[in-house]
Amino acid sequence: MPLPTQHPSPWKTAGITAAAAAVGVLVFLIVRGSMLPPDDADPLPFIGLMFLDFVLGLTAVGLLPIALRRSPVGAGLAIIALSGLSTLALPAACLCIVRLATLRRPRLLAATALVFLAAVLVDLAVNPVDGAEDYGWVLLIALGMLGVLVLIGLNRGAKRALIVSLRQEADSARREQDARADQARLAERTRIAREMHDTLAHRLSLISMHAGALEYRTDLEPETIRSTAGVLRETAAKAASELRQVLAVLREEPEATAPQPNISAIPALVASARAVGTDIKLSIEPALLAAGADGPADATSRHLYRVAQEGITNAQKHAPGHPVAVSLTGAPGEGITVTVSNPVSRSTSPAPDGLGLIGLAERARLSGGSFESGAKRGVYTTAVQVPW
């Protein structure tokens, strides 16, 4: 699969160019030093070839930054072509072959191979060797070097393709998880809205009943009328308070509603968990079980039940066989804290992206409280604190 071109940083490009120039000069000195003419030969042709080699090599080195950052195809093929006339350009040409092979384009690989082989033939024409056998060895070495460079480039391209694929998969998984989290929050808000709808229906029915009594009973004593009016005022105030919470929750679609469990149902919840073999210890302050105005608000009471329910469910699912401790503490004005803890190992602790925990965090946020969950010293604890 062809990959988009990725450019190295300017500092990395400068370092690669300097290294190619240094190695090129070393190759130039070694090769040209081994080709010195005899003492009785005319040195001018040799000096001319050295000068041409050096100038073309500097040109190739000067084109290398362009090949690495701007035009890997055009400048890269030009450098490879220049290596047929310049030994100084050979290291830069090798880098360009690897660079072009990294792109993993079949036609470009074929063009690179043809240009490189043409450069080898030009070099053999300018600097002939003795005998057909030597020509064969030179071509064989050139083909081997070309093959090694192409394989290096293809390997780099494959690794880069793998990295790109993994990043795309990670991005896709992150978007999917975000979508699942949003759906979980929306579902939790819908359920909270349904529960609060039950409370509002109850409050409004009380208001209607007492108002009807005041409307049709003309024989009531003034004290009874004042008491009934006080009940209406208190009920209306509670209904208005809970209505503000309903308006803060996005409800996806209307559903049939039914009475929801509250904090008083937690002992029954614990009993049902014990019936299936779970070792649960429950600690709940009596003040939390008080009815009416002395106890927590209905919405808060339902939130506390859901926290305990989700914590017990997580413990049964992720740490079966381990004891579970459920604790509810609090006082008016100080807030209420519900804690569910159980021993776990690293391999059995709940996943940090569990949707049930997201729901609890949403409940705590909408209630103006706080949420914490995690493992510490071999004990996984879920704690929610809400105002009272």
Side-chain angles (χ1 to χ4, degrees):
M1 178 183 64
L3 293 175
T5 303
Q6 296 183 355
H7 306 304
S9 64
W11 286 106
K12 186 176 181 180
T13 301
I16 294 174
T17 303
V23 176
V25 171
L26 181 61
V27 172
F28 170 79
L29 294 176
I30 294 174
V31 173
R32 290 303 173 184
S34 64
M35 299 173 61
L36 290 174
D39 295 338
D40 56 349
D42 186 5
L44 291 179
F46 178 76
I47 295 176
L49 287 176
M50 286 189 62
F51 181 77
L52 179 64
D53 188 334
F54 191 78
V55 171
L56 294 179
L58 291 181
T59 303
V61 172
L63 290 174
L64 187 57
I66 300 176
L68 294 176
R69 291 185 54 82
R70 297 183 182 179
S71 178
V73 178
L77 293 178
I79 293 173
I80 296 172
L82 289 175
S83 66
L85 296 173
S86 172
T87 55
L88 195 151
L90 183 60
C94 294
L95 292 175
C96 290
I97 293 174
V98 174
R99 173 72 166 165
L100 295 175
T102 303
L103 301 179
R104 303 174 71 193
R105 300 174 186 174
R107 294 184 179 180
L108 183 57
L109 283 176
T112 301
L114 290 176
V115 172
F116 178 76
L117 293 177
V120 172
L121 294 177
V122 170
D123 180 66
L124 290 176
V126 176
N127 303 296
V129 295
D130 298 332
E133 183 178 353
D134 292 339
Y135 277 98
W137 279 109
V138 172
L139 291 175
L140 183 61
I141 293 173
L143 289 174
M145 183 173 67
L146 175 64
V148 171
L149 295 174
V150 169
L151 289 177
I152 293 174
L154 292 176
N155 182 59
R156 292 184 59 191
K159 290 182 178 179
R160 199 171 76 190
L162 178 61
I163 293 174
V164 171
S165 176
L166 292 176
R167 286 178 178 173
Q168 292 175 348
E169 291 180 4
D171 291 340
S172 177
R174 183 166 55 252
R175 288 192 297 267
E176 181 180 353
Q177 177 58 28
D178 290 342
R180 292 176 60 212
D182 291 340
Q183 292 176 358
R185 293 188 184 98
L186 182 58
E188 192 66 24
R189 290 184 178 191
T190 301
R191 186 164 65 171
I192 295 171
R194 182 172 66 249
E195 295 172 359
M196 298 178 74
H197 169 272
D198 300 337
T199 302
L200 284 176
H202 174 68
R203 303 291 186 198
L204 294 176
S205 66
L206 289 177
I207 293 174
S208 176
M209 181 184 67
H210 286 88
L214 291 177
E215 180 180 4
Y216 292 104
R217 293 287 301 275
T218 59
D219 57 340
L220 295 176
E221 298 179 358
E223 183 65 27
T224 303
I225 294 176
R226 285 194 298 272
S227 175
T228 304
V231 172
L232 287 173
R233 178 185 57 78
E234 181 181 355
T235 305
K238 290 182 178 180
S241 175
E242 293 174 354
L243 178 60
R244 285 193 294 269
Q245 298 182 51
V246 171
L247 295 177
V249 179
L250 177 61
R251 185 167 185 173
E252 186 177 19
E253 58 184 21
E255 300 179 9
T257 59
Q260 300 295 323
N262 54 26
I263 193 172
S264 62
I266 292 180
L269 173 68
V270 172
S272 63
R274 287 172 178 165
V276 297
T278 304
D279 181 11
I280 299 184
K281 179 181 179 181
L282 175 62
S283 173
I284 180 169
E285 293 189 1
L288 297 175
L289 299 175
D294 295 333
D298 291 340
T300 301
S301 182
R302 289 192 302 275
H303 290 327
L304 296 175
Y305 175 87
R306 294 301 182 191
V307 172
Q309 182 185 45
E310 182 64 28
I312 294 173
T313 300
N314 279 342
Q316 291 175 326
K317 180 179 179 181
H318 298 286
H322 291 279
V324 183
V326 181
S327 172
L328 290 93
T329 59
E334 298 179 1
I336 305 172
T337 301
V338 54
T339 304
V340 182
S341 59
N342 56 277
V344 292
S345 60
R346 180 175 298 180
S347 60
T348 60
S349 60
D353 58 352
L355 299 183
L357 299 181
I358 293 177
L360 296 186
E362 188 70 9
R363 283 180 178 271
R365 187 183 69 83
L366 293 175
S367 300
S370 61
F371 167 80
E372 292 182 3
S373 181
K376 185 177 181 181
R377 297 180 180 178
V379 177
Y380 194 92
T381 302
T382 300
V384 172
Q385 185 175 24
V386 296
W388 183 7

